Amino acid sequence: MKTMTTTCLGRKPKVGMISLGCAKNLVDAEIMLGSVLQRGMEITSQPEDADILVINTCAFIDSAKEESIEAILEAHQQRGLNRRPDQKLIVSGCMSQRFAKELRREMPEVDAFIGLDQVGQLGEIAEKILRERPTLNAQDRQLDVERSALGVSSTNGDIDLSFAERRPTYIPDYDTPRFRLTPAHFAYVKIAEGCNHPCSFCVIPQMRGKHRSRPMQSVLAEIRGLVSEGVREINLISQDTTYYGMDLWPAKAGPRQPVDSTRGPTLAVLLRELQEIEGEFWVRLLYTHPAHWSDELIETIAQCDKVARYIDIPLQHIDDAMLGRMRRETSRAHIENLIHKLRAGIPGVTLRTTFIVGFPGETEAEFARLLDFIRRSRFERLGIFKYSQEEGSRAAKMPGQIPAKIKNARYRAAMSVQQQIAHDLTLEKVGSDLKLLVDQPHIARSEGDAPDVDARVILSEAAPVGEFVWRRITGSRGYDLLA
Ligand code: SF4
């Protein structure tokens, strides 16, 4: 139900959003803003104009947490400098979900911490805050925190504005109101949420909960709508895209279950359905777990020309002992066989992966095996993460934590190997004709480049934004191509 909100401001309140972290968090931000619009409020891109400013945080690794905390403190400082003491500050996202209690104690300047289950309710929560905490100052906020710790009612009314409670279960639907923050021609579509894998370095399942897939009809309805609005690129996202649908099967799917459409809904069925949607667009697969790939999925991608020949497949390591300690539920033999099958089954495919260096106990020999694998596999796109010791993860308690100096050296060694590979691969493209999607008049992306994370094609002649064009590649500059 749409309600018109004016509250005590005497006009429509304005809500601003600063979203940090990955595309999954961005979709949450879009849903939060959708709920704000549905309640009749306005959205502003100027934080200083906002009556309510939301910081959508990331807690993937320590540096992401630090960035999130800095963003909150900066926003609080700015509301003082901009003489907006009544501006309300809401913190959402992974960090808020996981550390709401601790953060609330440490940061009384924040008006509410909301969890991942509340993303569709930001509009209501914002109204509640404006109604019940209209003129709260910093001292009152501190009092609130102290009183709530003692179980006493808060300063402005008796609401407890710390909303994150338990492991989330929320999943959006096709008609969930959403205000897209990406350019008009591409969109992220979250097909599932949560993860059932036990990777020892990762705390995401603790924050985002168990894997839960959206019903296929819901995903299809959303994508049909986006394509009819003129969206040219659909990026399918989740924590574990290849596991899509398996939690809906009548018989439970194990942690290494390959995609098999005889057993229930799968990513392969979804892709075949998407292929039938009228219109010119690309579908891109992000965050696929290697354990679930099957011949059926590879054949499906090869047969569906609307599915980009691009696969994001985080591998994290190649050494069997390391994969075991990382609890990746996969093995060197499986990964090598899979890469061979992907390259043979989908000619011209662009493979993107990530590896972690400096995981606890990684020996020189294990790292050397990883380096050798990177050299031989010639991934078109590759990211290296230095292992980050995440509180609450199994790996954080493991013996053999690697000093930062060694992690840095391994990072540099892996990056320099990859730089040479990437340089050679871009040169191989020179002279070829590529279909490109135009992001800005002089900047486009090929099928092999996901938005924000991969390379670009610099256009010498301007092209219409949001359209597909064909161009001949004339050279390269760093990781980018020239056309
Ligand atoms: S697959 Fe592993 S790394 Fe990825 S979200 Fe799940 S637990 Fe974390």
Side-chain angles (χ1 to χ4, degrees), residues 226-247:
L226 290 168
V227 171
S228 70
E229 284 170 27
V231 172
R232 302 293 198 175
E233 176 174 333
I234 306 287
N235 293 277
L236 300 184
I237 58 171
S238 74
Q239 258 73 42
D240 180 1
T241 304
T242 28
Y243 196 75
Y244 172 75
M246 293 190 201
D247 53 316

Side-chain angles (χ1 to χ4, degrees), residues 33-283:
L33 292 176
S35 86
V36 158
L37 287 180
Q38 201 192 25
R39 303 295 291 194
M41 297 180 217
E42 284 180 9
I43 294 172
T44 175
S45 57
Q46 307 297 326
E48 63 276 16
D49 285 347
D51 299 300
I52 293 208
L53 184 60
V54 183
I55 315 285
N56 194 29
T57 59
C58 172
F60 177 47
I61 50 175
D62 276 350
S63 56
K65 281 186 239 162
E66 281 158 23
E67 188 191 8
S68 294
I69 287 174
E70 271 166 30
I72 299 167
L73 295 176
E74 162 85 8
H76 176 54
Q77 199 189 23
Q78 285 299 326
R79 70 177 163 180
L81 293 176
N82 295 326
R83 308 204 199 302
R84 275 192 161 262
D86 293 340
Q87 184 182 65
K88 305 293 176 251
L89 211 50
I90 296 183
V91 174
S92 61
C94 287
M95 200 171 75
S96 179
Q97 173 68 34
R98 182 131 184 265
F99 301 109
K101 277 212 178 84
E102 296 87 332
L103 288 171
R104 189 155 192 259
R105 248 192 338 264
E106 300 295 322
M107 300 180 126
E109 54 271 48
V110 173
D111 291 278
F113 291 94
I114 68 172
L116 297 166
D117 273 346
Q118 282 85 31
V119 291
Q121 298 159 26
L122 178 66
E124 283 167 63
I125 292 169
E127 278 175 4
K128 195 170 178 175
I129 289 170
L130 288 172
R131 200 171 52 236
E132 301 186 27
R133 295 161 73 89
T135 56
L136 212 60
N137 61 31
Q139 275 165 352
D140 293 335
R141 289 186 182 101
Q142 179 63 47
L143 255 179
D144 263 8
V145 172
E146 287 163 14
R147 286 177 185 211
S148 118
L150 294 169
V152 180
S153 66
S154 60
T155 316
N156 284 22
D158 60 357
I159 49 167
D160 179 354
L161 287 166
S162 182
F163 292 89
E165 291 143 11
R166 55 192 158 80
R167 291 248 176 128
T169 54
Y170 175 79
I171 184 85
D173 206 346
Y174 72 96
D175 56 356
T176 304
R178 185 172 164 193
F179 178 81
R180 277 203 297 117
L181 294 166
T182 47
H185 60 281
F186 74 80
Y188 294 102
V189 173
K190 201 187 267 193
I191 59 173
E193 180 58 280
C195 179
N196 289 357
H197 286 285
C199 304
S200 57
F201 52 81
C202 182
V203 287
I204 286 175
Q206 295 175 39
M207 291 185 264
R208 296 224 163 226
K210 288 261 170 219
H211 185 105
R212 47 210 187 271
S213 300
R214 285 173 58 186
M216 198 168 294
Q217 288 313 320
S218 167
V219 177
L220 289 170
E222 180 177 350
I223 294 175
R224 273 190 211 106
L226 290 168
V227 171
S228 70
E229 284 170 27
V231 172
R232 302 293 198 175
E233 176 174 333
I234 306 287
N235 293 277
L236 300 184
I237 58 171
S238 74
Q239 258 73 42
D240 180 1
T241 304
T242 28
Y243 196 75
Y244 172 75
M246 293 190 201
D247 53 316
L248 306 173
W249 290 4
K252 197 174 169 345
R256 294 180 185 224
Q257 173 65 48
V259 171
D260 176 358
S261 304
T262 62
R263 297 193 52 191
T266 61
L267 180 62
V269 179
L270 177 65
L271 296 179
R272 286 197 289 268
E273 293 283 337
L274 291 176
Q275 176 71 20
E276 297 306 311
I277 297 177
E278 293 276 318
E280 194 182 12
F281 63 96
W282 278 334
V283 177

Side-chain angles (χ1 to χ4, degrees), residues 6 132 141 189 193 196 203 362-363 388 409 471 479 482-483:
T6 51
E132 301 186 27
R141 289 186 182 101
V189 173
E193 180 58 280
N196 289 357
V203 287
E362 185 187 49
T363 62
S388 168
R471 289 288 163 90
Y479 288 100
L482 306 174

Side-chain angles (χ1 to χ4, degrees), residues 355 370-378 384 417-418 421:
F355 292 110
L370 174 62
L371 216 51
D372 181 55
F373 177 69
I374 293 173
R375 212 172 271 128
R376 284 186 299 107
S377 302
R378 302 185 88 228
I384 303 285
V417 167
Q418 181 59 24
I421 293 168

